[in-house]
């Protein structure tokens, strides 16, 4: 179980999603569901960290989205460390 930060301590806590539901729904209706999920998850990560260094629009532009994906893991790691996850690596 991942310890969660108290609401409002760092930022709003994101929604828990079942990975299989996201995967299956993404395979069935890829474009609309995928765009909505990327937009929501990037905004949740940005608001939890309290930094404005992620722009979800960049994840929708070809080539630039690859660059943004390359820069995303350190930001996710930072959010895990902020929330108190043990061995966040």
């Amino acid at each position: 179980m991942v310890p969660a930060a108290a609401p409002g301590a760092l930022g709003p806590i994101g929604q828990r999603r079942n990975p299989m539901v996201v995967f299956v729904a993404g395979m069935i209706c890829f474009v609309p569901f995928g765009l909505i999920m990327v937009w929501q998850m990037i905004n949740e990560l940005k608001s939890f960290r309290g930094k404005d260094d992620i722009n979800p629009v960049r994840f929708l532009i070809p080539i630039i989205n690859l660059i943004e994906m390359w820069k995303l893991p350190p930001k996710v790691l930072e959010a895990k460390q902020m929330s108190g996850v043990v061995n966040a690596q």
Side-chain angles (χ1 to χ4, degrees):
M1 186 77 169
V2 177
L10 301 171
I13 296 176
Q15 175 184 1
R16 286 185 172 235
R17 294 174 180 84
N18 183 337
M20 288 307 295
V21 171
V22 172
F23 178 74
V24 170
M27 298 309 273
I28 292 172
C29 54
F30 175 70
V31 174
F33 185 77
L35 294 175
I36 291 168
M37 292 309 297
V38 165
W39 191 273
Q40 287 177 343
M41 287 188 253
I42 295 300
N43 280 327
E44 286 174 7
L45 179 64
K46 182 171 73 169
S47 65
F48 180 78
R49 291 175 58 238
K51 296 181 181 178
D52 197 23
D53 59 347
I54 304 173
N55 186 351
V57 174
R58 291 183 182 171
F59 286 87
L60 307 176
I61 302 171
I63 306 299
I64 294 175
N65 64 355
L66 297 174
I67 296 168
E68 290 299 315
M69 287 292 211
W70 184 267
K71 297 189 290 185
L72 194 59
K75 296 173 184 177
V76 172
L77 178 63
E78 179 186 353
K80 285 182 178 181
Q81 290 170 342
M82 288 171 66
S83 67
V85 173
V86 179
N87 295 328
Q89 298 289 337

